Amino acid sequence: MCGIAGMILADPLSNQQEVLQRMTSAIQHRGPDHEGIFWDGHTGLGHRRLAILDLSSAGNQPMVSYDGRYVIAHNGEVYNFREMRKELAEYPFTTETDTEVILAAYAKWGVGCLQRFQGMFAFAIWDKEKKQLLIARDRMGIKPLYYHLNGKQLLFSSEIRSLLASELVPRKADEASVLDYLRYQTVHAPRTIIRNVNMLMPGSYMTCANGQTTIESYANEPAGESLALTYEQTCTGVRERFFKAVEKRLVADVPFGAFLSGGIDSTAVVAAMSQLSNTSVKTFSVVFEEQDFSEEKYAGLIARRYQTDHHEIRVRPEDFLHELPDALNAMDHPGGDGPNTYTVSKRTKQAGITMALSGLGGDEVFAGYPVFQRLYKLNANAWLYHVPRVLRKVTASALQGSVQRQKMARLLTMKTYDPAAAYALGRQLWSDEDLYSLYSGNWFENTVEEITRPEFNNGRPFLTKVSRAEMFTYMQNVLLRDTDQMSMAHALEVRVPFLDHELVSFVAQVPDKHKYPSTPKKLLTDSLGELIPEDISNRPKMGFTFPWERWMKNELKDFSEQHLNLLGDQRGFDKQGLDRVWKDFLAQRGGVTWTRIWPLVVLAYWLDKHDVDV
């Protein structure tokens, strides 16, 4: 795991080397082991290395191919690099890295090599002979890659802050992205919060040569038809692929461990690691003094069952408050979540661990969120929308109180049944009606609805449609982004076996009758059987969060008020409206929860810190 940066310029800059140095230095935290910079005329590559494979200096980057033609800057891991190396026996390898395998594969197969890679990666390859730049990103979107493109230059990096450090990117927020953030506590790719800074989409690559730039997809989509397998055969297929996914991710030349919350997903990962590893697995859990939020009991149960070397990270409000500025400063892109990952990553790294496995993705792949059941039932009862809307409004009027009840009321009063619109509405933090009193900027189409509509209009199983909607929105643009920026703030690599492409593709073809979560993630728990105790599989889902509401009404009250006032000074925001919802939150009225307020606080902090205007 590392950080990359680079540029290709149509016209030289007098200070181009200084610019690239600033960009590379801005991501030093991602790779403390080595810094490297390469120049060829108007093209430069920068790299910060976190050594995971082949810890010798031979693995430093940018790395040049044996014949001197290709140069690569690479972030991430290609898990099947050893198998691919056997296919590339004619290449005179000098390292034990996956990076050199990428070079050899590109030299032999060109962009066709991308379809062969299994892993998480973002890399840039410069062809000195053709004067062509390639940048590419893994098919699941685990590793980020941002770029700024105008008529005369292409800048790219693992982080937005690196692009801003170039001083060639205007510090101006993208107006459509601000609205997207207010709706969903994030900005959905390819846009970012910064105008004219985009994200290369998962499973895509960009080529730049002779002033021409093209972006194409290399990812093969899962087949639309369902697998014709019995439930027992399906469970066997899931178990085999999951174990292979975990096994691939245990290849490292550094100490590694796992995050353990005591939920189904992290339990599954730790159970598989324990069976595949010859040594005791190191596990790490965040526990709270506030027992309502602590999963200490469940994590301890799994740690004892699998005899892990368990580390409890006990967090008190005062500990968190001390670390909060650092956690917020680690945010490369504003988001409503993330400090929890910052805290566990920091303690994990302090324990001597450089790589950790996570259960991220289990909910998205195996229908773990309430949205799966809610939309499935709504889809099965689409006939309700033949009932006159006026009658549905009468029923909806009784659904007041909690945020979930308010969302259900809005779903019932849609003009017609529209699964993409229903999904988008169900994921919104603030409804557009609520936002009218907070924000008066220009209004744009709902991004989530645009992203998911093609998914809901295809022939895949319905739960797979919801799964893909989750992956393309919340997972990629909140969970994966937060995990990357918060773990890399401590130079910790996080691997996610549930997002193994072969596992995801297999489960995507499972029919709804096998995947429906009549019990929590039934297909996954049945596939792993005795590995997940009933005390874990049948317990209520708690999630993985800090006791934010208590803190925001006490220790974080002044901090939150200060930054809501700052946000009110930004163009388009209504200071009185922000003050009103803050008072509603303090008084516990109107369904204004901390999950709605905190993203506003974070947005204000991020804009202020990075001197970005709306």
Side-chain angles (χ1 to χ4, degrees):
M1 194 72 66
C2 308
I4 66 173
M7 61 178 64
I8 181 168
L9 308 172
D11 298 320
L13 298 173
S14 60
N15 65 337
Q16 61 188 25
Q17 295 191 31
E18 177 189 342
V19 171
L20 183 55
Q21 182 65 63
R22 287 199 303 265
M23 293 173 64
T24 305
S25 296
I27 52 174
Q28 178 179 357
H29 52 277
R30 299 183 69 93
D33 297 329
H34 179 262
E35 178 185 52
I37 289 180
F38 163 85
W39 274 103
D40 181 15
H42 306 162
T43 300
L45 301 180
H47 189 264
R48 295 294 318 198
R49 186 186 185 198
L50 174 62
I52 301 291
L53 298 168
D54 189 343
L55 308 186
S56 73
S57 60
N60 290 342
Q61 299 181 46
M63 183 180 291
V64 183
S65 62
Y66 81 96
D67 59 2
R69 176 175 175 176
Y70 303 105
V71 186
I72 185 172
H74 168 222
N75 169 34
E77 307 290 344
V78 173
Y79 301 126
N80 62 331
F81 77 99
R82 288 177 176 166
E83 293 86 344
M84 292 186 65
R85 183 168 174 147
K86 295 175 182 177
E87 296 184 65
L88 299 163
E90 71 279 5
Y91 189 93
F93 290 99
T94 60
T95 76
E96 297 298 321
T97 66
D98 57 337
T99 302
E100 193 175 19
V101 171
I102 296 174
L103 274 177
Y106 184 69
K108 182 173 182 176
W109 297 306
V111 294
C113 69
L114 294 169
Q115 294 185 358
R116 298 170 178 261
F117 296 150
Q118 299 175 19
M120 54 178 189
F121 56 81
F123 62 75
I125 295 179
W126 173 243
D127 183 337
K128 292 197 287 185
E129 183 177 303
K130 288 186 176 181
K131 301 300 180 184
Q132 176 176 286
L133 179 72
L134 167 80
I135 63 174
R137 191 170 176 223
D138 69 76
R139 64 178 73 224
M140 295 304 298
I142 301 170
K143 290 292 97 186
L145 189 55
Y146 301 95
Y147 67 91
H148 170 72
L149 177 65
N150 62 31
K152 294 186 177 181
Q153 57 197 17
L154 167 68
L155 308 180
F156 62 89
S157 181
S158 299
E159 296 192 4
I160 293 174
R161 288 174 293 187
S162 173
L163 297 177
L164 294 176
S166 73
E167 299 181 8
L168 299 176
V169 178
R171 294 175 181 264
K172 184 69 177 177
D174 180 77
E175 194 172 13
S177 297
V178 171
L179 181 60
D180 195 22
Y181 181 92
L182 295 177
R183 285 167 168 159
Y184 293 104
Q185 72 168 327
T186 192
V187 178
H188 293 85
R191 282 195 175 104
T192 72
I193 197 69
I194 300 296
R195 184 185 300 175
N196 294 328
V197 171
N198 291 322
M199 206 171 197
L200 188 66
M201 293 299 285
S204 297
Y205 66 92
M206 174 191 291
T207 56
C208 187
N210 301 317
Q212 300 296 315
T213 301
T214 61
I215 298 177
E216 298 186 48
S217 173
Y218 68 85
N220 294 323
E221 297 294 330
E225 63 275 6
S226 298
L227 293 169
L229 300 176
T230 66
Y231 187 66
E232 291 72 21
Q233 291 171 328
T234 301
C235 289
T236 299
V238 168
R239 184 181 180 115
E240 290 176 349
R241 286 166 177 78
F242 179 68
F243 265 77
K244 287 180 181 177
V246 173
E247 186 175 24
K248 293 175 192 174
R249 287 155 181 80
L250 297 182
V251 177
D253 295 329
V254 294
F256 58 85
F259 297 151
L260 177 59
S261 69
I264 291 173
D265 302 332
S266 65
T267 295
V269 171
V270 170
M273 290 177 70
S274 298
Q275 292 206 354
L276 293 166
S277 178
N278 295 324
T279 59
S280 180
V281 176
K282 295 181 181 294
T283 53
F284 299 84
S285 300
V286 171
V287 299
F288 301 110
E289 292 180 344
E290 295 88 345
Q291 290 301 310
D292 291 347
F293 299 91
S294 184
E295 298 183 289
E296 179 178 2
K297 177 178 69 173
Y298 301 107
L301 185 155
I302 297 304
R304 290 188 297 272
R305 180 184 180 96
Y306 291 107
Q307 299 180 327
T308 71
D309 179 6
H310 192 53
H311 303 257
E312 290 183 345
I313 302 169
R314 191 165 298 277
V315 178
R316 299 171 300 171
E318 53 267 34
D319 298 330
F320 175 75
L321 291 175
H322 177 72
E323 293 184 354
L324 180 60
D326 291 336
L328 292 176
N329 290 338
M331 284 189 176
D332 180 54
H333 192 287
D337 205 352
N340 47 1
T341 306
Y342 179 92
T343 297
V344 71
S345 296
K346 178 178 179 179
R347 301 303 198 282
T348 302
K349 185 69 174 185
Q350 288 174 342
I353 300 300
T354 304
M355 183 271 284
L357 270 65
S358 165
L360 190 156
D363 284 312
E364 289 78 9
V365 176
F366 290 98
Y369 294 129
V371 67
F372 284 90
Q373 288 186 323
R374 184 168 64 243
L375 285 182
Y376 186 89
K377 293 175 181 177
L378 188 66
N379 187 66
N381 292 282
W383 59 268
L384 284 171
Y385 289 89
H386 295 296
V387 174
R389 194 179 183 200
V390 65
L391 296 180
R392 287 186 276 121
K393 285 184 176 180
V394 172
T395 302
S397 65
L399 295 173
Q400 301 301 320
S402 71
V403 173
Q404 292 303 322
R405 289 171 66 87
Q406 292 177 35
K407 287 183 178 180
M408 183 55 69
R410 292 191 179 103
L411 288 174
L412 283 175
T413 55
M414 290 193 305
K415 290 182 179 180
T416 58
Y417 173 66
D418 180 347
Y423 176 82
L425 177 60
R427 268 300 185 189
Q428 276 192 241
L429 284 179
W430 294 96
S431 70
D432 285 356
E433 291 83 356
D434 291 333
L435 285 177
Y436 290 143
S437 65
L438 303 179
Y439 183 68
S440 60
N442 291 326
W443 290 80
F444 300 87
E445 293 298 318
N446 188 295
T447 306
V448 169
E449 191 171 329
E450 290 181 338
I451 291 171
T452 60
R453 187 167 302 284
E455 297 304 320
F456 284 107
N457 287 339
N458 64 41
R460 296 184 178 92
F462 186 78
L463 290 176
T464 295
K465 296 179 183 181
V466 181
S467 180
R468 288 171 62 83
E470 285 288 294
M471 288 181 184
F472 296 156
T473 57
Y474 179 69
M475 186 191 78
Q476 289 181 357
N477 299 285
V478 176
L479 297 181
L480 287 175
R481 177 183 282 159
D482 287 346
T483 296
D484 176 81
Q485 60 192 15
M486 292 304 181
S487 61
M488 292 310 295
H490 306 290
L492 174 74
E493 175 174 306
V494 176
R495 299 179 178 180
V496 283
F498 277 111
L499 298 186
D500 181 88
H501 176 63
E502 293 182 345
L503 174 64
V504 171
S505 296
F506 180 81
V507 179
Q509 297 174 79
V510 171
D512 288 345
K513 65 180 181 180
H514 292 342
K515 198 181 343 184
Y516 186 80
S518 53
T519 58
K521 281 172 273 198
K522 184 177 186 298
L523 175 58
L524 176 61
T525 57
D526 285 355
S527 298
L528 299 184
E530 74 286 351
L531 295 180
I532 302 179
E534 288 189 9
D535 289 347
I536 300 299
S537 60
N538 293 325
R539 77 176 181 87
K541 184 177 178 62
M542 292 178 67
F544 182 56
T545 183
F546 288 116
W548 284 99
E549 182 171 356
R550 298 181 189 179
W551 289 345
M552 289 176 65
K553 291 181 178 180
N554 296 282
E555 293 89 349
L556 291 176
K557 183 178 180 182
D558 291 344
F559 177 86
S560 299
E561 288 181 347
Q562 174 191 351
H563 286 88
L564 288 174
N565 285 331
L566 283 176
L567 189 61
D569 294 332
Q570 288 278 6
R571 185 178 66 87
F573 284 89
D574 188 296
K575 188 180 284 284
Q576 291 183 340
L578 291 169
D579 183 63
R580 185 184 65 256
V581 295
W582 172 246
K583 289 178 178 177
D584 286 344
F585 164 70
L586 294 177
Q588 293 183 299
R589 63 174 177 251
V592 181
T593 62
W594 74 267
T595 58
R596 289 180 163 187
I597 296 293
W598 182 246
L600 300 176
V601 175
V602 172
L603 177 62
Y605 184 93
W606 195 92
L607 293 173
D608 182 61
K609 175 178 173 56
H610 295 283
D611 195 25
V612 173
D613 294 323
V614 174

